[in-house]
Structures are given as C-alpha cells and as structure tokens.
Amino acid sequence: MLASKAMPLAYAEEDIAALPERRPPLTAFPTPLVTVSEAAVQHNLATMAAWCASAGVGIAPHGKTTMNRELWQRQLDAGAWGITVATPWQLSVAVEWGVPRIMLANALVQPDALRYAAPHAERVLVWADSVRAVQIMDAVLAETAEHAAPAAQPRLGVLIELGAPGGRTGARTVEDALDVAKEVAASTGLRLAGVAGYEGALAHDGSDAALAVVRSYLQRMLALHDAIEGAGLYQGDAPTILTAGGSAYFDVVAEVLAPRRDLAGERGMPVDVLLRSGAYITHDDGFYSGITPLRRGPGGEFRSAIHGWATVVSRPEPWLVLVDAGKRDFPYDEGLPVPQALRRFGEHTVTPFAGAVATAMNDQHTFVRVPESAVVEVGDVIRFGLSHPCTTFDKWRALPVVDDVTAETPQVIGLLETAFG
C-alpha cells in the first residue's frame, strides 16, 4: 500500500502506531499538510454539547464533514442522537462502523441501495420530497420483503423534506409535501417518521434579512408537521423527528423548533428536534468562523482545529511567494487559504506573518503575495487558516493530529483516517 502523503517518507506502519507515545514534533512531517488540533476538537465537542443542552435540542451531526470513525464516535459519546450521512456509500460506512442511528439526508431511490438498507431499517431514516420517490421505495422494499426471512421486516422510516423556491431539494409547498406524507402513510414498507429540511441553501450571511428568511422557512416546516399530525398520518411509537440546522443557522432552528420538543409526550405525541450541524467539530478560519451562530449570541465560541502547512519553494519576484500546496491539498470553494504564521527553515516555532495574502491556486501550488520587505525565504513553512472543513477532509486519506496548534512546539499525537470511497 502506498504511504499517506501526510506521513514522513521513511515512516513504516509501526511508526504510525507509535505516534501517541513518541509524540514527534510537527516539524518532522512533510508538506503539503493539513493538521487537526486535538485541543480545539475537545473544546468544540464540549461547547456544542453544552449549547444543545441549553437550547433544548438534540443533534445528529453530519458525518460527511470528517468521514472519520473516531470523530463520529466522540460525537456520539458527547450525546449525539446518531450520525447523518448524505449518500448510500456513506450510509454503508455508518452501518459497518456500528452507528446506532443513521439519518440519510437524501432520497434513497437506487434499488441496490434500498435492498442494502432494508435489513437495517430499524436504525435508518431517509428523506423523500416526491410521490415518485415514495413509490420507488415502496415497490423495491416490497420486492425485497418477498425474498426475506419469514420474520417481519421493519418499515423504513421516512422524513418528508420541505424545500423552498430557489432552494435545494425538498417539496416546494406544504401542500405538495403533505401529498408525499399521505403516500408514505398509505405504503406497505415505509413509516412516516417526521419532517426534515435544510435552511442553509436559502441564506448566505448573518444579516437580519437572511435570518428572517430562515425563520420563515422553519415556520413552514412546523406548518407541515402540524398538517401531518392533524391528518393522523404519523406512525409508530418512536418520537416524531423535526430536523433542520446546518452549521450556519442552528440558533434560529433552535429558536423556532425547540419549543416543539417533547420526548416524553407530555403535550401529545413524543417529538424530538435534531440539528444536523457537522462543521462545528473542527470549525475553520473562514466561512464558518464568520457566520457561526455563536457570534450572534451566548454559548461560548468554537476554535479552528484545521490548519494547512506548506513550504516556500520559490520567490521568483520580491512580492511573490509560491508554496507546495494547491487545490489538491487545501480547500478553495469557500475562500482561499489565509496565511497566518511563518516557521523559519530549521526552527520549530511559528511567528505571525502579517501582510501576506493568497491570490490564486493551481493543483499543487498556491500564489502568495507578500510585502517586498517581508523576510521569507525558500525552505520556510507557512501555516494557513482554512475555509470549509468538508472540502478539507475529503482531500486527505489521513490527517496528523497535533496536541495543540497554538503550542510553542506542536507535537503529533495520532492520525485520523478518512473514508471517502
């Protein structure tokens, strides 16, 4: 097997296994590199758990952010209801890793994937936003049941997805969504389990106008839930699920939906409210740093746990530095990496790197504009702040974990392996 690009070239498997005991300095590792700071991850897990408890919501964090078994388990250990996934492949990973409850935040209409999910229906929820999707699921599951063991096959739970004009997926009106709910209720292999939605596609900043759009959408979700309940369509004894909430507007989701949470069913049927935020576990120094709900109210703060490291390989002009990391190493879909600090050749500590700006990226290079007076030479290493955890992790089969990126001499204490197929 080829060595991971995150590991020193001479490392063998036993060297990787010994990282927690040996704790080598970060300077022993090659560039390009992305590291995860354990101190920040610990802080973010505790901060989010405390925030959810205070707000009165549960969480099923989106696993696509990291696709890492250890981090998923730590989220579950911190009180998560389960793990959210986006594709049949990610669903299979969650099943194999023994995740007790899994939400597929998407329609599941591929016959092979439905046949795979059928034996795991007790712990899997899927979404639907059309009558057609429900008909496909029901037909495939009915066919699967004919060839199954005599024991009764549990029904697959379905959440009705409400969208909005100009948004992503989801039925565009409450009336259309109610028709989908009726189709699920009339099916033989499906169970109507709740209402789902995603507000993140409807707004892109933290302005009052954007928050109002999100709030209005969430109120329409409640109208759908009430219509389904009023029609007597909900099925089963498990709490009905209301779920929304990416990493940008989970405060508004809690504001609107949390009052409906009633796990004991003291006000009627049991209801659970679940966020699906995923980026919080590592946060970032870009998009989520600017839009995080924790900037809009109490609840502490998240810390960025992901950082890029790249070596200066050329300074062909006084104002231009090129480093050995590019689009295949660092994310760029939510903003270019931001130079933060400089580690001189042969040294272990970093110092602030003011005035430097990334201006463009190629596959394996990033262009960094620097002041002509900047003292930066070939062989120096630049630390970058990154924007968007989801497209950071999927570029790496493994990421070194440092004890604390803010330490004078960060030490590597482990390795996070990812599963992106």
Side-chain angles (χ1 to χ4, degrees), residues 217 351 364 399:
Y217 166 71
T351 55
Q364 306 288 184
L399 300 92

Side-chain angles (χ1 to χ4, degrees), residues 343-369:
R343 190 175 73 210
R344 306 289 182 194
F345 180 80
E347 297 184 2
H348 290 274
T349 60
V350 299
T351 55
F353 191 21
V357 179
T359 59
M361 299 178 76
N362 296 154
D363 283 353
Q364 306 288 184
H365 293 89
T366 295
F367 293 70
V368 181
R369 178 179 289 275

